[in-house]
């Protein structure tokens, strides 16, 4: 991250007023690119340049999938406690697989040496929590991944319901 490759990628991501960020967001984060509006990319670029560029570490953590796969130990500690975890999900289910990334690879299994690798379906956080016994309710709102940005009114409404529960 702090080496040459990380610095080069960071410069690439921020060049041309965040063109890469816009393209990545349209392909991987939202169901409808129009929902990003005019402020998404400038906001991302501005945040990226704050604190002398130190925000790159949280960006790299996101791209590496740390936020998707790095919470099993925390979720395991809730098993058997009766704690229920609720979800706010997006209704745009066009893409059911993870966004493509050069920072992680899908797990595969080889049936035999030299055979093409077969993709193995990874358990989602939602499936894991269901199996763990901590599954609560699910609210559906507009959007795909960046729900608070894509459907801010729907997200606020459902979040207030969860808080007031």
């Amino acid at each position: 991250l702090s080496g040459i490759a990380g610095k080069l990628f960071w410069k690439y991501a921020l060049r041309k007023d965040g063109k890469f960020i816009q393209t990545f967001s349209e392909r991987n984060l939202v169901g409808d690119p129009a929902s990003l509006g005019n402020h998404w990319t400038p906001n991302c670029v501005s945040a990226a340049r704050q604190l002398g560029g130190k925000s790159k570490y949280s960006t790299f953590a996101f791209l590496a999938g740390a936020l998707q796969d790095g919470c099993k130990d925390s979720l395991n500690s809730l098993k058997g406690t009766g704690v229920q975890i609720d979800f706010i999900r997006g209704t745009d289910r066009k893409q059911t697989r993870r966004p493509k990334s050069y920072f992680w690879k899908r797990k595969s299994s080889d049936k035999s040496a030299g055979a093409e690798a077969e993709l193995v379906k990874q358990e989602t956080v939602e499936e894991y929590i269901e199996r763990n016994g901590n599954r609560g309710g699910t609210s559906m709102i507009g959007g795909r991944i960046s729900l608070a940005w894509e459907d801010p009114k729907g997200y606020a409404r459902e979040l207030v319901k969860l808080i007031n529960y």
Side-chain angles (χ1 to χ4, degrees), residues 12-61:
Y12 173 79
L14 298 179
R15 71 181 173 77
K16 297 182 183 178
D17 293 321
K19 183 177 179 183
F20 170 81
I21 293 170
Q22 181 72 28
T23 303
F24 179 88
S25 299
E26 288 175 1
R27 288 184 185 162
N28 299 306
L29 299 182
V30 296
D32 178 10
S35 69
L36 291 174
N38 296 329
H39 301 291
W40 174 263
T41 301
N43 188 33
C44 290
V45 171
S46 173
R49 291 185 173 143
Q50 289 178 354
L51 303 172
K54 289 181 181 176
S55 63
K56 70 181 173 187
Y57 300 108
S58 60
T59 302
F60 286 145

Coordinates of all heavy atoms in Angstrom, one line a residue, residues 12-61:
Y12 N -3.4 6.6 -10.2 CA -4.2 6.2 -11.3 C -5.7 6.4 -11.0 O -6.5 6.9 -11.8 CB -3.9 4.7 -11.7 CG -4.9 4.1 -12.7 CD1 -4.7 4.4 -14.1 CD2 -5.9 3.3 -12.3 CE1 -5.6 3.9 -15.0 CE2 -6.8 2.8 -13.3 CZ -6.6 3.1 -14.6 OH -7.5 2.6 -15.6
A13 N -6.1 6.0 -9.8 CA -7.5 6.0 -9.4 C -8.0 7.5 -9.3 O -9.2 7.8 -9.6 CB -7.7 5.4 -8.0
L14 N -7.1 8.4 -9.0 CA -7.5 9.8 -8.8 C -7.3 10.7 -10.0 O -7.8 11.8 -10.1 CB -6.8 10.4 -7.6 CG -7.0 9.8 -6.3 CD1 -6.2 10.4 -5.2 CD2 -8.5 9.8 -5.9
R15 N -6.6 10.2 -11.0 CA -6.3 11.0 -12.2 C -7.6 11.3 -13.0 O -8.6 10.7 -12.7 CB -5.3 10.2 -13.1 CG -5.9 9.1 -13.9 CD -4.9 8.4 -14.7 NE -5.5 7.1 -15.3 CZ -6.3 7.1 -16.3 NH1 -6.7 8.2 -16.9 NH2 -6.8 5.9 -16.7
K16 N -7.5 12.3 -13.8 CA -8.7 12.7 -14.6 C -9.9 13.0 -13.7 O -11.0 12.5 -14.1 CB -9.0 11.8 -15.7 CG -7.9 11.6 -16.7 CD -8.2 10.7 -17.8 CE -7.1 10.5 -18.8 NZ -7.4 9.5 -19.9
D17 N -9.7 13.6 -12.6 CA -10.8 13.9 -11.7 C -11.6 12.7 -11.3 O -12.9 12.7 -11.1 CB -11.8 15.0 -12.3 CG -11.1 16.3 -12.4 OD1 -10.3 16.7 -11.5 OD2 -11.3 17.0 -13.4
G18 N -11.0 11.6 -11.1 CA -11.6 10.4 -10.6 C -12.4 9.6 -11.6 O -13.3 8.8 -11.3
K19 N -11.9 9.6 -12.9 CA -12.6 8.8 -13.9 C -12.7 7.3 -13.6 O -13.7 6.7 -13.8 CB -11.9 9.0 -15.3 CG -12.6 8.3 -16.4 CD -12.0 8.6 -17.7 CE -12.7 7.8 -18.8 NZ -12.1 8.0 -20.1
F20 N -11.6 6.8 -13.0 CA -11.6 5.4 -12.6 C -12.6 5.1 -11.5 O -13.3 4.1 -11.6 CB -10.2 5.0 -12.1 CG -10.1 3.6 -11.5 CD1 -10.1 2.5 -12.3 CD2 -10.2 3.5 -10.1 CE1 -10.1 1.2 -11.7 CE2 -10.2 2.2 -9.5 CZ -10.1 1.1 -10.3
I21 N -12.7 6.0 -10.6 CA -13.6 5.9 -9.5 C -15.0 5.9 -10.0 O -15.9 5.0 -9.6 CB -13.5 7.0 -8.4 CG1 -12.1 6.9 -7.7 CG2 -14.6 7.0 -7.4 CD1 -11.7 8.0 -6.9
Q22 N -15.3 6.7 -11.0 CA -16.7 6.8 -11.6 C -17.0 5.5 -12.3 O -18.0 4.9 -12.1 CB -16.8 8.0 -12.5 CG -18.1 8.1 -13.2 CD -19.2 8.6 -12.3 OE1 -18.9 9.3 -11.3 NE2 -20.4 8.3 -12.5
T23 N -16.0 5.0 -13.1 CA -16.3 3.8 -13.8 C -16.4 2.6 -12.9 O -17.3 1.8 -13.1 CB -15.1 3.5 -14.8 OG1 -15.0 4.7 -15.7 CG2 -15.3 2.3 -15.6
F24 N -15.5 2.5 -11.9 CA -15.6 1.4 -10.9 C -17.0 1.4 -10.2 O -17.6 0.4 -10.0 CB -14.5 1.5 -9.9 CG -14.5 0.4 -8.8 CD1 -13.9 -0.8 -9.1 CD2 -15.2 0.6 -7.7 CE1 -13.9 -1.8 -8.1 CE2 -15.2 -0.4 -6.7 CZ -14.6 -1.6 -6.9
S25 N -17.4 2.6 -9.8 CA -18.7 2.7 -9.1 C -19.8 2.3 -9.9 O -20.7 1.6 -9.5 CB -18.8 4.2 -8.6 OG -17.8 4.5 -7.7
E26 N -19.8 2.7 -11.2 CA -20.9 2.4 -12.1 C -21.0 0.9 -12.3 O -22.1 0.3 -12.4 CB -20.8 3.1 -13.4 CG -21.0 4.6 -13.3 CD -20.8 5.3 -14.6 OE1 -20.4 4.7 -15.7 OE2 -20.9 6.6 -14.7
R27 N -19.8 0.3 -12.5 CA -19.8 -1.2 -12.8 C -20.1 -2.1 -11.6 O -20.6 -3.1 -11.7 CB -18.5 -1.6 -13.4 CG -18.2 -1.1 -14.7 CD -16.9 -1.6 -15.3 NE -16.7 -1.0 -16.6 CZ -15.5 -1.0 -17.1 NH1 -14.4 -1.5 -16.5 NH2 -15.3 -0.4 -18.3
N28 N -19.6 -1.6 -10.4 CA -19.6 -2.5 -9.2 C -20.4 -2.1 -8.0 O -20.7 -2.9 -7.2 CB -18.1 -2.7 -8.8 CG -17.3 -3.3 -9.9 OD1 -17.6 -4.4 -10.4 ND2 -16.2 -2.6 -10.2
L29 N -20.8 -0.9 -7.9 CA -21.4 -0.4 -6.7 C -22.9 -0.1 -6.8 O -23.6 -0.1 -5.7 CB -20.7 0.8 -6.1 CG -19.2 0.6 -5.8 CD1 -18.6 1.8 -5.2 CD2 -19.1 -0.6 -4.8
V30 N -23.4 0.3 -7.9 CA -24.8 0.7 -8.0 C -25.5 0.0 -9.1 O -24.9 -0.5 -10.0 CB -24.9 2.3 -8.3 CG1 -24.3 3.1 -7.1 CG2 -24.2 2.6 -9.6
G31 N -26.8 -0.1 -8.9 CA -27.7 -0.7 -9.9 C -27.9 0.2 -11.1 O -27.9 -0.2 -12.3
D32 N -28.1 1.5 -10.8 CA -28.4 2.4 -11.9 C -27.3 3.5 -11.8 O -27.3 4.3 -10.8 CB -29.8 3.0 -11.7 CG -30.1 4.1 -12.7 OD1 -29.4 4.3 -13.7 OD2 -31.2 4.7 -12.5
P33 N -26.4 3.7 -12.8 CA -25.4 4.7 -12.7 C -25.9 6.1 -12.5 O -25.3 6.9 -11.9 CB -24.7 4.5 -14.0 CG -24.9 3.1 -14.4 CD -26.2 2.8 -13.9
A34 N -27.1 6.3 -13.0 CA -27.7 7.7 -12.8 C -27.9 8.0 -11.3 O -28.0 9.2 -11.0 CB -29.1 7.8 -13.6
S35 N -28.1 7.0 -10.5 CA -28.3 7.3 -9.1 C -27.0 7.9 -8.4 O -27.1 8.4 -7.3 CB -28.7 6.0 -8.3 OG -27.6 5.1 -8.3
L36 N -25.9 7.8 -9.0 CA -24.7 8.4 -8.5 C -24.8 10.0 -8.5 O -24.2 10.6 -7.6 CB -23.4 8.0 -9.2 CG -23.1 6.5 -9.1 CD1 -21.9 6.2 -10.0 CD2 -22.7 6.2 -7.7
G37 N -25.5 10.5 -9.5 CA -25.6 12.0 -9.5 C -24.3 12.7 -9.8 O -23.3 12.0 -10.1
N38 N -24.3 14.0 -9.7 CA -23.1 14.8 -10.0 C -22.1 14.9 -8.9 O -21.0 15.4 -9.1 CB -23.6 16.2 -10.4 CG -24.4 16.2 -11.7 OD1 -24.2 15.3 -12.5 ND2 -25.3 17.1 -11.8
H39 N -22.5 14.5 -7.7 CA -21.6 14.8 -6.5 C -20.8 13.6 -6.1 O -19.9 13.7 -5.3 CB -22.5 15.3 -5.3 CG -23.2 16.5 -5.6 ND1 -22.6 17.7 -5.8 CD2 -24.5 16.8 -5.8 CE1 -23.5 18.7 -6.1 NE2 -24.6 18.1 -6.1
W40 N -21.2 12.4 -6.6 CA -20.5 11.1 -6.1 C -19.0 11.2 -6.3 O -18.2 11.1 -5.4 CB -21.1 9.9 -6.8 CG -20.4 8.6 -6.5 CD1 -19.5 8.0 -7.3 CD2 -20.6 7.8 -5.4 NE1 -19.0 6.9 -6.7 CE2 -19.7 6.7 -5.6 CE3 -21.4 7.9 -4.3 CZ2 -19.6 5.7 -4.6 CZ3 -21.3 6.8 -3.3 CH2 -20.4 5.8 -3.5
T41 N -18.6 11.3 -7.6 CA -17.2 11.3 -7.9 C -16.4 12.4 -7.3 O -15.3 12.2 -6.6 CB -16.9 11.2 -9.4 OG1 -17.6 10.0 -9.9 CG2 -15.5 11.1 -9.8
P42 N -16.8 13.7 -7.4 CA -16.1 14.8 -6.7 C -16.0 14.5 -5.2 O -14.9 14.8 -4.6 CB -16.9 16.0 -7.0 CG -17.7 15.7 -8.2 CD -17.9 14.2 -8.2
N43 N -17.0 14.0 -4.6 CA -17.0 13.7 -3.2 C -16.0 12.6 -2.8 O -15.2 12.7 -1.9 CB -18.4 13.3 -2.7 CG -18.5 13.1 -1.2 OD1 -17.9 13.8 -0.5 ND2 -19.3 12.2 -0.8
C44 N -15.9 11.6 -3.7 CA -14.9 10.5 -3.5 C -13.5 11.0 -3.6 O -12.6 10.7 -2.8 CB -15.2 9.4 -4.5 SG -16.7 8.4 -4.2
V45 N -13.3 11.8 -4.7 CA -11.9 12.3 -4.9 C -11.5 13.3 -3.8 O -10.4 13.2 -3.3 CB -11.9 13.0 -6.3 CG1 -10.6 13.8 -6.5 CG2 -12.1 12.0 -7.4
S46 N -12.4 14.1 -3.3 CA -12.1 15.0 -2.3 C -11.8 14.3 -1.0 O -10.8 14.6 -0.3 CB -13.3 15.9 -2.0 OG -13.1 16.7 -0.9
A47 N -12.6 13.3 -0.7 CA -12.3 12.4 0.5 C -11.0 11.7 0.4 O -10.2 11.6 1.4 CB -13.4 11.4 0.8
A48 N -10.7 11.3 -0.8 CA -9.4 10.5 -1.1 C -8.2 11.4 -0.9 O -7.1 10.9 -0.5 CB -9.4 10.0 -2.5
R49 N -8.3 12.7 -1.1 CA -7.2 13.6 -1.0 C -7.0 14.2 0.4 O -6.0 14.8 0.7 CB -7.3 14.7 -2.0 CG -7.1 14.2 -3.4 CD -7.2 15.3 -4.4 NE -6.8 14.7 -5.7 CZ -7.3 15.0 -6.9 NH1 -8.2 16.0 -6.9 NH2 -6.9 14.4 -8.0
Q50 N -8.0 14.0 1.3 CA -7.9 14.5 2.7 C -6.8 13.7 3.4 O -6.4 12.6 3.1 CB -9.3 14.3 3.4 CG -10.3 15.2 2.9 CD -11.7 15.0 3.6 OE1 -11.8 14.1 4.4 NE2 -12.6 15.8 3.3
L51 N -6.4 14.4 4.5 CA -5.4 13.8 5.4 C -4.1 13.3 4.6 O -3.5 12.3 4.9 CB -6.0 12.6 6.1 CG -7.2 12.9 7.0 CD1 -7.8 11.7 7.5 CD2 -6.8 13.9 8.1
G52 N -3.7 14.1 3.6 CA -2.5 13.7 2.8 C -2.6 12.4 2.1 O -1.6 11.7 1.9
G53 N -3.8 12.0 1.8 CA -4.0 10.7 1.0 C -4.1 9.5 1.9 O -4.1 8.4 1.4
K54 N -4.1 9.6 3.2 CA -4.1 8.5 4.1 C -5.4 7.7 4.0 O -5.5 6.5 4.5 CB -3.8 8.9 5.6 CG -2.4 9.4 5.8 CD -2.1 9.7 7.2 CE -0.7 10.2 7.3 NZ -0.4 10.7 8.7
S55 N -6.4 8.2 3.4 CA -7.7 7.5 3.3 C -7.5 6.3 2.3 O -8.4 5.5 2.2 CB -8.8 8.4 2.8 OG -8.5 8.9 1.5
K56 N -6.4 6.3 1.6 CA -6.2 5.2 0.7 C -6.2 3.8 1.4 O -6.6 2.8 0.8 CB -4.9 5.3 -0.1 CG -3.6 5.1 0.7 CD -2.4 5.3 -0.2 CE -1.1 5.3 0.6 NZ 0.0 5.7 -0.2
Y57 N -5.9 3.8 2.7 CA -5.9 2.5 3.4 C -7.3 1.9 3.5 O -7.5 0.7 3.4 CB -5.2 2.7 4.7 CG -3.7 3.1 4.6 CD1 -3.4 4.4 4.9 CD2 -2.8 2.3 4.0 CE1 -2.1 4.9 4.7 CE2 -1.5 2.7 3.8 CZ -1.1 4.0 4.1 OH 0.1 4.4 3.9
S58 N -8.3 2.8 3.8 CA -9.6 2.3 3.9 C -10.1 1.8 2.5 O -10.9 0.9 2.4 CB -10.6 3.3 4.5 OG -10.6 4.5 3.7
T59 N -9.7 2.6 1.5 CA -10.1 2.2 0.1 C -9.5 0.8 -0.3 O -10.2 0.0 -0.8 CB -9.7 3.3 -0.9 OG1 -10.3 4.5 -0.5 CG2 -10.1 2.9 -2.3
F60 N -8.3 0.6 0.0 CA -7.6 -0.6 -0.3 C -8.3 -1.8 0.5 O -8.4 -2.9 0.0 CB -6.1 -0.6 0.0 CG -5.3 0.2 -1.0 CD1 -4.2 1.0 -0.7 CD2 -5.7 0.2 -2.4 CE1 -3.5 1.7 -1.6 CE2 -5.0 0.9 -3.3 CZ -3.9 1.7 -2.9
A61 N -8.7 -1.5 1.8 CA -9.3 -2.5 2.6 C -10.6 -2.9 1.9 O -11.0 -4.1 1.9 CB -9.6 -2.0 4.0

